[in-house]
């Protein structure tokens, strides 16, 4: 009998862990998850690194060395996080090789303070890529208006990118356009475009959280009947858009020249509403060529009792369109909801970044004090 996570992988879903810490790396936990949970990649963000650095002693020795060298807070963060990601990519290298570069990926994010700074994002993406120096890294760039030209430029430089913080279909279409633009630039520059990979991270549970708040405020029977339906419907329509956009002449010509499609990735797949099934954003979003990045709690729930019934996306497009028609009918401004989510997403990551800076600042100061 295969496990639910093995069944998910067999259905074409790559399982990535939405967490990374040095403890996972050095204890062998990450390698174990590859073997026992079919995990084939890792995503990180400022919140994850802030949590990792605030717990345990795994970073103490490196922090002491950085303090002795007089490293600044941001220099220390850069060293610590790029070291973790490089070590994780080495653990995933056999997966990367076995999948022809599709999986075995580890993501690291540009500073969220650069979310509205195109040139700053491009510069830091290149710096992160060069410092990690591993073919199976992905550089995370948010899908803000300023992020879109940065995505095109970074892809155009031959760097693989995880586009994050996507909430709306309109923005997703712009993300695909930026990816294809970047591929064309890379091809024109003589770069081997078969080496460039990308995923587009579409957030799921946060959509339900914001839209459900609006539906409950409306309070009618029609509105309440739509609670907890928008996140899955939005993601399903994103897959429909993905299928359509990568069937265009522009995309198929690039693929024929060696390019890879930009896979949809389901992010924010931990259930926020405890009344919902804890595997909802996994089992309802199964389709070939997707990635689902899961917090460990969701991963374990899926492994324990996830029911995988094959593709649950492509036969449900009509239902998803109906949900959106009904949302509009009861008065939900979905475009406004997704803009709020993007703004909040950037702000939350900036807050986490500041927490990470404060954690490192304190650790450096304590190490310097001990050294005296």
């Amino acid at each position: 009998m295969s496990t639910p996570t093995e069944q998910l992988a067999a259905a074409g879903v790559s399982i990535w862990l939405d967490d990374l810490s040095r403890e996972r790396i050095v204890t062998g936990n990450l390698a174990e998850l590859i073997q026992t949970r079919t995990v084939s990649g890792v995503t990180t963000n400022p919140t994850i690194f802030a949590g990792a650095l605030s717990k345990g002693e795994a970073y103490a020795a490196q922090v002491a060395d950085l303090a002795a060298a007089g490293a600044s807070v941001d220099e220390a963060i850069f060293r610590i996080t790029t070291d973790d990601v490089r070590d994780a990519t080495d653990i995933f290298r056999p997966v990367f090789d076995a999948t022809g570069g599709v999986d075995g990926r580890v993501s690291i994010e540009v500073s969220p303070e650069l979310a509205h700074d195109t040139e700053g994002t491009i510069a830091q993406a290149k710096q992160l890529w060069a410092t990690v120096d591993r073919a199976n890294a992905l550089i995370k760039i948010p899908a803000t208006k300023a992020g879109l030209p940065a995505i095109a430029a970074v892809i155009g430089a031959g760097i693989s990118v995880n586009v994050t913080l996507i909430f709306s279909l309109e923005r997703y279409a712009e993300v695909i356009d930026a990816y294809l633009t970047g591929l064309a630039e890379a091809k024109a520059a003589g770069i081997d475009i078969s080496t460039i990979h990308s995923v587009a991270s579409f957030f799921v549970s946060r959509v339900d959280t914001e839209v459900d708040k609006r539906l409950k405020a409306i309070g009618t029977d029609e509105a309440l009947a739509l609670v907890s339906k928008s996140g899955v419907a939005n993601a399903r329509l994103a897959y429909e858009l993905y299928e359509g956009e990568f069937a265009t002449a522009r995309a198929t010509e690039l693929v024929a020249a060696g390019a890879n499609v930009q896979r949809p990735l389901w992010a924010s797949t931990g259930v926020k509403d405890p009344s919902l099934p804890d595997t909802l954003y996994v089992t309802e979003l199964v389709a070939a060529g997707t990635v689902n990045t899961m917090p460990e709690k969701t991963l374990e729930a899926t492994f324990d009792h996830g029911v995988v019934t094959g593709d649950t996306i492509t036969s449900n497009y009509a239902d998803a369109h109906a949900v959106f028609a009904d949302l509009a009918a009861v008065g939900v401004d979905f475009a406004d909801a997704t803009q709020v989510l993007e703004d909040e997403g950037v702000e939350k990551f900036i807050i986490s970044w500041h927490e990470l800076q404060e954690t490192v600042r304190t650790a450096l100061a304590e190490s310097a004090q001990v050294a005296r």
Side-chain angles (χ1 to χ4, degrees), residues 147-149 151-153 155 173-183 250:
L148 294 168
I151 292 159
I155 292 288
E174 293 176 312
V175 166
I176 295 172
D177 176 68
Y179 175 60
L180 296 175
T181 297
L183 285 175
R250 179 189 182 198

Side-chain angles (χ1 to χ4, degrees), residues 7 27 73 121 125-126 163 174 194 196 212 216 218 225 321:
Q7 292 164 18
T27 61
V73 170
T121 295
K126 290 179 176 179
V163 183
E174 293 176 312
S194 71
I196 303 169
D212 288 356
K216 288 169 184 176
I218 294 166
H321 282 287

